[in-house]
Amino acid sequence: MRLVAVGRMKDKAELALVERYLKRLRPRLDIVELADGRGSPDEIKRREAQAILAACPPQAFLIVLDEAGRSFSSPGFSEAMAEWSALGRPLCFVIGGAEGLDAAVIERSDAKLSFGTLTWPHMLVRIMLVEQIYRAQAIAVGHPYHRSGRP
């Protein structure tokens, strides 16, 4: 699995949270950080799109984080992850930059994932995504990490 994200994570506390979940993931999740684009908003999106698509394997199942994407429950996301993984294609998650994702990336995507209509800082989204991938794996194997509240 791969996570392609625009922006570099620098804060030690944020890095520690991501690392906490990365070391538990199987298969592992590789993170590719891309530099923020420069120029006008349209130019930034275009340049970031080129870098994003170049960082994703051509055969990858591409999941973009997008406000207009599908919101899942944690068990629903676990089921989707299992279905996507069963396709035999590497999973590649994408978090765009501050200007959002260019249409070229959206069009290339195989699935769109939303964490709701609130605006989240990109570094927090990265932490949330990595944690949810770990939670999805825990749910799939019946690990007690995910507690649904049912008796």
Side-chain angles (χ1 to χ4, degrees), residues 4 19 28-29 53 55 66 102 127:
V4 176
E19 287 297 324
R28 64 182 279 190
L29 177 69
L53 294 174
D66 185 73
D102 188 75
I127 295 164

Side-chain angles (χ1 to χ4, degrees), residues 78-141:
S78 179
E79 290 173 16
M81 289 270 306
E83 290 171 10
W84 299 335
S85 296
L87 297 172
R89 297 164 59 192
L91 301 184
C92 188
F93 294 88
V94 173
I95 301 172
E99 299 299 334
L101 291 169
D102 188 75
V105 178
I106 300 289
E107 289 167 11
R108 164 61 182 89
S109 70
D110 296 292
K112 297 173 197 69
L113 172 63
S114 173
F115 284 155
T117 57
L118 295 172
T119 301
W120 297 98
H122 286 78
M123 297 308 158
L124 186 54
V125 168
R126 192 180 306 188
I127 295 164
M128 292 167 40
L129 176 61
V130 173
E131 189 280 338
Q132 282 300 304
I133 293 170
Y134 173 71
R135 183 177 297 271
Q137 290 182 350
I139 290 168
V141 299

Side-chain angles (χ1 to χ4, degrees), residues 9 15 23 27 32 53 60 70 82 116 121 137:
M9 189 170 265
L15 281 165
K23 64 184 171 190
V32 177
L53 294 174
R70 180 173 172 195
Q137 290 182 350

Side-chain angles (χ1 to χ4, degrees), residues 14-66:
E14 293 168 345
L15 281 165
L17 283 170
V18 169
E19 287 297 324
R20 174 188 297 177
Y21 297 105
L22 284 179
K23 64 184 171 190
R24 300 177 187 176
L25 290 175
R26 298 291 176 269
R28 64 182 279 190
L29 177 69
D30 294 317
I31 296 180
V32 177
E33 293 183 318
L34 304 173
D36 293 305
R38 301 267 188 250
S40 70
D42 287 341
E43 184 67 14
I44 290 170
K45 285 171 63 171
R46 187 186 65 74
R47 287 182 182 173
E48 289 176 352
Q50 290 174 338
I52 288 167
L53 294 174
C56 297
Q59 74 282 15
F61 187 89
L62 200 67
I63 304 116
V64 297
L65 273 81
D66 185 73

